[in-house]
mmCIF file of all heavy atoms in Angstrom:
data_model
loop_
_atom_site.group_PDB
_atom_site.id
_atom_site.type_symbol
_atom_site.label_atom_id
_atom_site.label_comp_id
_atom_site.label_asym_id
_atom_site.label_seq_id
_atom_site.Cartn_x
_atom_site.Cartn_y
_atom_site.Cartn_z
ATOM 1 N N ALA V 178 0.572 27.023 -36.378
ATOM 2 C CA ALA V 178 1.472 28.034 -36.857
ATOM 3 C C ALA V 178 1.768 27.753 -38.370
ATOM 4 O O ALA V 178 2.008 28.674 -39.142
ATOM 5 C CB ALA V 178 2.737 28.049 -36.008
ATOM 6 N N ASP V 179 1.896 26.418 -38.723
ATOM 7 C CA ASP V 179 2.147 26.183 -40.102
ATOM 8 C C ASP V 179 0.918 26.522 -40.962
ATOM 9 O O ASP V 179 1.153 26.864 -42.183
ATOM 10 C CB ASP V 179 2.466 24.692 -40.268
ATOM 11 C CG ASP V 179 3.821 24.313 -39.597
ATOM 12 O OD1 ASP V 179 4.628 25.223 -39.401
ATOM 13 O OD2 ASP V 179 3.950 23.070 -39.171
ATOM 14 N N GLU V 180 -0.290 26.361 -40.485
ATOM 15 C CA GLU V 180 -1.448 26.623 -41.328
ATOM 16 C C GLU V 180 -1.845 28.133 -41.352
ATOM 17 O O GLU V 180 -2.377 28.574 -42.342
ATOM 18 C CB GLU V 180 -2.661 25.881 -40.766
ATOM 19 C CG GLU V 180 -2.445 24.366 -40.907
ATOM 20 C CD GLU V 180 -3.712 23.533 -40.240
ATOM 21 O OE1 GLU V 180 -4.491 24.297 -39.713
ATOM 22 O OE2 GLU V 180 -3.678 22.397 -40.371
ATOM 23 N N ALA V 181 -1.521 28.889 -40.300
ATOM 24 C CA ALA V 181 -1.912 30.327 -40.232
ATOM 25 C C ALA V 181 -1.100 31.188 -41.189
ATOM 26 O O ALA V 181 0.169 30.880 -41.374
ATOM 27 C CB ALA V 181 -1.763 30.829 -38.825
ATOM 28 N N PRO V 182 -1.690 32.374 -41.865
ATOM 29 C CA PRO V 182 -0.793 33.264 -42.636
ATOM 30 C C PRO V 182 0.135 34.026 -41.790
ATOM 31 O O PRO V 182 -0.100 34.344 -40.711
ATOM 32 C CB PRO V 182 -1.927 34.165 -43.375
ATOM 33 C CG PRO V 182 -2.994 34.150 -42.401
ATOM 34 C CD PRO V 182 -3.053 32.860 -41.875
ATOM 35 N N VAL V 183 1.173 34.470 -42.536
ATOM 36 C CA VAL V 183 2.213 35.270 -41.855
ATOM 37 C C VAL V 183 1.780 36.653 -41.687
ATOM 38 O O VAL V 183 1.443 37.289 -42.746
ATOM 39 C CB VAL V 183 3.656 35.181 -42.633
ATOM 40 C CG1 VAL V 183 4.628 36.070 -41.881
ATOM 41 C CG2 VAL V 183 4.081 33.748 -42.671
ATOM 42 N N THR V 184 1.663 37.202 -40.545
ATOM 43 C CA THR V 184 1.267 38.648 -40.351
ATOM 44 C C THR V 184 2.400 39.291 -39.573
ATOM 45 O O THR V 184 3.111 38.702 -38.769
ATOM 46 C CB THR V 184 0.011 38.689 -39.503
ATOM 47 O OG1 THR V 184 0.112 37.971 -38.314
ATOM 48 C CG2 THR V 184 -1.142 38.027 -40.318
ATOM 49 N N VAL V 185 2.411 40.618 -39.786
ATOM 50 C CA VAL V 185 3.405 41.443 -39.059
ATOM 51 C C VAL V 185 2.589 42.236 -38.122
ATOM 52 O O VAL V 185 1.643 42.996 -38.471
ATOM 53 C CB VAL V 185 4.167 42.428 -40.086
ATOM 54 C CG1 VAL V 185 5.077 43.314 -39.323
ATOM 55 C CG2 VAL V 185 4.893 41.631 -41.088
ATOM 56 N N THR V 186 2.891 42.116 -36.854
ATOM 57 C CA THR V 186 2.247 42.837 -35.774
ATOM 58 C C THR V 186 3.131 43.984 -35.357
ATOM 59 O O THR V 186 4.361 43.927 -35.294
ATOM 60 C CB THR V 186 2.042 41.886 -34.573
ATOM 61 O OG1 THR V 186 3.236 41.353 -34.077
ATOM 62 C CG2 THR V 186 1.110 40.676 -34.957
ATOM 63 N N VAL V 187 2.432 45.082 -35.005
ATOM 64 C CA VAL V 187 3.181 46.320 -34.591
ATOM 65 C C VAL V 187 3.015 46.374 -33.027
ATOM 66 O O VAL V 187 1.875 46.175 -32.555
ATOM 67 C CB VAL V 187 2.574 47.500 -35.229
ATOM 68 C CG1 VAL V 187 3.357 48.759 -34.736
ATOM 69 C CG2 VAL V 187 2.691 47.424 -36.681
ATOM 70 N N ALA V 188 4.143 46.571 -32.355
ATOM 71 C CA ALA V 188 4.077 46.574 -30.949
ATOM 72 C C ALA V 188 3.238 47.770 -30.451
ATOM 73 O O ALA V 188 3.391 48.853 -31.032
ATOM 74 C CB ALA V 188 5.497 46.641 -30.417
ATOM 75 N N ALA V 189 2.504 47.545 -29.513
ATOM 76 C CA ALA V 189 1.598 48.676 -28.889
ATOM 77 C C ALA V 189 2.590 49.666 -28.216
ATOM 78 O O ALA V 189 3.719 49.291 -27.724
ATOM 79 C CB ALA V 189 0.674 48.058 -27.929
ATOM 80 N N PRO V 190 2.190 50.934 -28.194
ATOM 81 C CA PRO V 190 2.985 51.892 -27.506
ATOM 82 C C PRO V 190 3.136 51.586 -25.996
ATOM 83 O O PRO V 190 2.258 50.940 -25.464
ATOM 84 C CB PRO V 190 2.274 53.194 -27.697
ATOM 85 C CG PRO V 190 0.870 52.813 -28.197
ATOM 86 C CD PRO V 190 1.013 51.519 -28.923
ATOM 87 N N GLU V 191 4.103 52.195 -25.433
ATOM 88 C CA GLU V 191 4.291 51.875 -23.966
ATOM 89 C C GLU V 191 3.192 52.472 -23.088
ATOM 90 O O GLU V 191 2.903 51.899 -22.002
ATOM 91 C CB GLU V 191 5.586 52.483 -23.511
ATOM 92 C CG GLU V 191 6.813 51.912 -24.249
ATOM 93 C CD GLU V 191 8.061 52.509 -23.808
ATOM 94 O OE1 GLU V 191 8.068 53.412 -22.988
ATOM 95 O OE2 GLU V 191 9.138 52.117 -24.258
ATOM 96 N N SER V 192 2.478 53.556 -23.595
ATOM 97 C CA SER V 192 1.515 54.185 -22.823
ATOM 98 C C SER V 192 0.200 53.275 -22.799
ATOM 99 O O SER V 192 -0.630 53.491 -22.002
ATOM 100 C CB SER V 192 1.112 55.547 -23.435
ATOM 101 O OG SER V 192 0.678 55.413 -24.709
ATOM 102 N N ALA V 193 0.066 52.363 -23.807
ATOM 103 C CA ALA V 193 -1.121 51.483 -23.790
ATOM 104 C C ALA V 193 -0.651 50.093 -23.917
ATOM 105 O O ALA V 193 -0.702 49.420 -25.049
ATOM 106 C CB ALA V 193 -2.023 51.920 -24.949
#
Side-chain angles (χ1 to χ4, degrees):
D179 294 336
E180 294 177 359
V183 179
T184 57
V185 178
T186 60
V187 180
E191 297 179 359
S192 60

